[in-house]
């Protein structure tokens, strides 16, 4: 007899319920009971997209051919704007036709590239904790994930070396993500140089997720492609979502190694027709004005970070300062051991939704992640309520 039990599907059995969906259920239930909840669980920017970009979108929507399918790899103007941005921001020269593909967000891009390069059983080194698609992009593609540390230091390479020695077959790729979600860790240029040396020695591709390229508090993050020769083995993912407050528009970029870009482009050509063309035209304008737009975005996040940390500290809850990104990665308070039950309690007792660290992998068990996606006054008041509930 035909059996429709979804938990028996091979792929679905390998996907635990998505962490943000779990928190969303708790929030929905609390709201249904009439409770006010400030949702700081997901890194979904609450600020408006830049006005010039919204205006450009409106104009482009009126073009007679706006509603047709667009180009899967992205229109030339957009790929060129991305290459120009890389030149200005990182001093990296990219050929828009060979080294750049525009994607439906960087999450999609990552999963599609994993599909393109992974044979069943192929092993990939993935940091733990990490943004879920870094692991599950490869699980979806039938790969095997070998976790390794996030902290960008010698120990990371020691552990990676160890993992390679004891993996059969040898890993095909390593994932890097700095500034890191959820830990907010950043890596300096010397780390990226070492990563390229390491990958060359072990014949690994590097997939570097730079979604937080523009959300930083101190030194601007580097592109791995600044390292001479990195393009021989690395691609990098960037996104309009956080840099330009355009998360719902679904535009990202993958740039770098020609062979990987070709592989991704081929898979994408079967799966999508590119973003809505007016969105691509408007995003090109955002990239052309990236410096001015992102300077404003950074000012907001700095004020928000400081408001949250100061209010928490004033109420007796001292938190580590994030290095970059739009998150605070906080250890669970003393006596708490389960990040999921702590987050549930905070919804009930403080009216604030947070992300349980375990949702980013077992390495996140002892933490929670706070997304700075509300104005300063609301963040300060949320921090005070959480601190009191603790
Ligand atoms: C590290 C990281 N990569 C990728 C993404 C996904 O971004 P996009 O909206 O471009 O798919 C996120 C979103 O939170 C992220 O934190």
């Amino acid at each position: 007899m035909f059996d429709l039990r979804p938990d028996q599907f091979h792929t679905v059995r390998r996907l635990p319920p998505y962490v943000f969906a779990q928190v969303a259920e708790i929030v929905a239930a609390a709201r249904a009971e009439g409770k006010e909840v400030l949702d700081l669980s997901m890194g979904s920017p609450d600020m408006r997209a830049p006005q010039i970009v919204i205006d450009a979108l409106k104009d482009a929507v009126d073009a007679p051919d706006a509603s047709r399918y667009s180009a899967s790899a992205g229109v030339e103007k957009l790929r060129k704007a991305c290459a120009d941005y890389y030149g200005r921001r990182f001093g990296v020269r990219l050929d828009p036709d060979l080294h750049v593909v525009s994607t439906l967000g960087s999450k999609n891009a990552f999963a599609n590239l994993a599909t393109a390069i992974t044979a069943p059983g192929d092993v990939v080194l993935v940091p733990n904790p990490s943004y879920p698609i870094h692991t599950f992009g490869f699980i979806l593609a039938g790969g095997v994930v070998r976790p390794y540390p996030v902290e960008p230091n010698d120990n990371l390479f020691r552990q990676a070396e160890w993992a390679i020695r004891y993996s059969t077959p040898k890993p095909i790729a390593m994932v890097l993500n700095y500034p890191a979600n959820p830990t907010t860790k950043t890596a300096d240029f010397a780390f990226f140089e070492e990563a390229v040396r390491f990958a060359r020695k072990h014949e690994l591709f590097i997939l570097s997720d730079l979604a937080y390229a523009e959300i930083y508090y101190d030194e601007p993050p580097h592109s791995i492609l600044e390292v001479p020769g990195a393009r021989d083995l690395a691609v990098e993912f960037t996104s309009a979502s956080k840099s330009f407050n355009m998360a719902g528009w679904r535009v990202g970029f993958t740039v770098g190694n020609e062979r990987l870009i070709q592989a991704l482009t081929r898979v994408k050509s079967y799966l999508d027709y590119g973003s809505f063309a007016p969105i691509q035209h408007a995003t090109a304008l955002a990239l052309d004005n990236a410096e001015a737009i992102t300077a404003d975005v950074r000012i907001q996040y700095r004020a928000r970070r400081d408001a949250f940390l100061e209010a928490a500290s004033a109420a007796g809850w001292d938190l580590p300062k994030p290095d970059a990104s739009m998150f605070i990665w906080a250890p669970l308070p003393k006596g708490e051991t389960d990040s999921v039950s702590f987050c549930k309690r905070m919804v009930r007792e403080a009216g604030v939704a947070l992300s349980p660290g375990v949702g980013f992998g077992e390495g996140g068990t002892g933490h929670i992640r706070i997304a700075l996606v509300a104005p300063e006054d609301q963040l300060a008041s949320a921090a005070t309520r959480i601190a009191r509930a603790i």
Side-chain angles (χ1 to χ4, degrees), residues 64-108:
D65 58 352
S67 295
R68 305 192 72 179
Y69 288 129
S70 184
S72 171
V75 297
E76 192 186 344
K77 175 176 161 184
L78 180 60
R79 284 181 285 109
K80 182 172 179 319
C82 178
D84 290 348
Y85 161 78
Y86 259 79
R88 297 193 311 276
R89 169 73 168 80
F90 303 113
V92 169
R93 284 170 60 133
L94 298 171
D95 180 332
D97 293 329
L98 299 178
H99 307 134
V100 181
V101 59
S102 166
T103 62
L104 305 179
S106 57
K107 182 179 175 182
N108 248 30

Side-chain angles (χ1 to χ4, degrees), residues 105-107 131 177 181 209 211-212 239 241-242 250:
S106 57
K107 182 179 175 182
Y131 183 60
N177 169 219
N181 178 13
D209 183 341
Y212 297 98
S239 172
S241 296
K242 323 285 171 156
R250 310 309 303 132

Side-chain angles (χ1 to χ4, degrees), residues 361-377:
E362 65 196 69
T365 321
H367 282 76
I368 48 162
R369 196 196 67 178
I370 303 154
L372 299 169
V373 290
E376 283 157 67
D377 56 336

